[in-house]
Amino acid sequence: MTPSKRRARPVKAPPPSQDSHLVRINRYLSMSGITSRRKAEELVVQGKVEVNHEVVTDLATRVDPERDKVYVQGVRAVAVIEHLYLVLNKPKDAITTMSDEKGRPTVMGLVKSQRRVYPIGRLDRNTTGVLLFTNDGEFAHRLTHPKFGVPKSYKVTCAKQVARGSLDALRRGVDLHDGKSAPANVVVIPGSKGKEIGVTIHEGRNRQVRRMLESLGYEVLKLDRVAYGPVTREGLSRGATRSLTKAEVRELKRMAGYTEEEQWRSQS
Ligand code: URA
């Protein structure tokens, strides 16, 4: 949508906020490559800048680079945002949510990032292990899209030995209330007396692994996601975060159907 030729009307800047991801309008405009910060100030004062189709003339205006739509004289200004890709080794009891109204610990409280990122999919409160975060909406969308079937591997600890027939059932797919699960790769973890199994799935339905096991009569005592595509929790203590390597991002992009050229963009 292009902005109308409305007359400039001063818009009060929002009150100062703790949101570190908001940037001043002049900085945003310089990030978009349109002009310098100083020249951007002039454009704002002259009423040539609109945020979400409202003219803004207050230099204290701050915008959310991922949400707000900024136009200069009718032309969209898109800031170049650095994409962040992180992995958290999620501990038990952290809830996968941006905020919890009951004040319980959330994964957001554990992720150390200057910029706002959000989790890719979710892990149950009691599930531990690999949880990815990003501010790249397209990447998050593709990784969680069933069409691309990016593999996720879990170490499952059951209360009793998993019978051979049950292992085969998991491999074929089991009936769940929201449809049969797709074939999974399943191995028995050596030395576990058959109580620990490795399960790799290519979908990501709610509580899927627990439900697969429960449907076959097994109580799941522990669930740990050990890998998401090429990303593992190796060397990362519980509760710790690290940036993904370029190779990991590139491989995840390949798995999520990005073209060769798109995969290499993470190298620049
Ligand atoms: N499957 C589950 O049952 N729980 C999770 O947290 C992830 C996958």
Side-chain angles (χ1 to χ4, degrees):
M1 195 168 29
T2 50
S4 62
K5 293 210 171 60
R6 269 183 244 124
R7 291 232 276 141
R9 147 170 96 75
V11 173
K12 222 173 146 23
S17 129
Q18 300 304 314
D19 295 325
S20 58
H21 61 282
L22 299 181
V23 296
R24 278 199 184 234
I25 186 68
N26 61 332
R27 174 147 178 262
Y28 179 93
L29 291 172
S30 72
M31 283 161 72
S32 72
I34 282 192
T35 184
S36 66
R37 276 200 214 185
R38 208 184 52 74
K39 290 247 169 65
E41 288 186 356
E42 287 168 19
L43 293 172
V44 174
V45 172
Q46 289 162 3
K48 292 180 176 163
V49 177
E50 295 192 13
V51 178
N52 301 328
H53 308 298
E54 289 278 355
V55 174
V56 295
T57 55
D58 189 336
L59 291 171
T61 302
R62 296 197 299 160
V63 297
D64 181 338
E66 277 132 54
R67 298 201 173 166
D68 292 328
K69 293 192 171 60
V70 178
Y71 295 85
V72 178
Q73 293 179 293
V75 178
R76 179 87 188 266
V78 181
V80 178
I81 302 168
E82 185 201 358
H83 281 145
L84 299 175
Y85 306 96
L86 307 173
V87 52
L88 166 73
N89 185 353
K90 179 190 170 300
K92 232 172 143 231
D93 290 331
I95 302 172
T96 310
T97 179
M98 296 303 279
S99 66
D100 184 65
E101 75 279 4
K102 292 186 193 149
R104 291 172 297 183
T106 72
V107 292
M108 299 315 297
L110 295 166
V111 174
K112 307 281 174 277
S113 169
Q114 294 275 38
R115 304 278 308 277
R116 183 168 56 182
V117 289
Y118 45 90
I120 300 179
R122 62 181 299 280
L123 288 179
D124 301 334
R125 186 174 174 180
N126 286 334
T127 302
T128 53
V130 175
L131 184 60
L132 303 182
F133 290 78
T134 190
N135 57 356
D136 180 345
E138 172 68 14
F139 181 77
H141 170 72
R142 289 202 192 201
L143 279 195
T144 48
H145 200 294
K147 177 166 117 187
F148 299 111
V150 177
K152 291 159 282 270
S153 300
Y154 298 84
K155 178 177 171 190
V156 191
T157 307
C158 296
K160 63 180 183 192
Q161 182 179 12
V162 184
R164 187 177 294 205
S166 302
L167 297 172
D168 285 338
L170 292 169
R171 289 182 184 120
R172 284 193 304 270
V174 293
D175 287 322
L176 302 173
H177 72 75
D178 48 359
K180 193 170 172 171
S181 59
N185 298 341
V186 182
V187 292
V188 174
I189 296 177
S192 70
K193 301 204 172 94
K195 291 183 180 178
E196 289 177 354
I197 58 173
V199 177
T200 299
I201 58 172
H202 298 82
E203 357 170 51
R205 295 191 237 161
N206 195 25
R207 297 189 70 255
Q208 180 167 342
V209 177
R210 289 177 198 275
R211 289 192 290 130
M212 285 164 70
L213 270 299
E214 282 160 11
S215 78
L216 296 169
Y218 297 93
E219 185 192 349
V220 173
L221 299 181
K222 275 198 219 159
L223 187 60
D224 187 27
R225 181 148 75 190
V226 296
Y228 196 126
V231 183
T232 72
R233 56 170 176 46
E234 242 171 79
L236 199 59
S237 49
R238 289 270 188 242
T241 316
R242 70 168 171 86
S243 295
L244 299 191
T245 64
K246 287 182 173 177
E248 286 170 331
V249 175
R250 205 170 58 241
E251 179 60 7
L252 281 167
K253 286 187 170 179
R254 189 194 64 74
M255 290 176 155
Y258 282 77
T259 62
E260 278 276 303
E261 196 197 349
E262 288 166 333
Q263 288 161 41
W264 281 93
R265 281 203 194 126
S266 57
Q267 298 294 292
S268 54

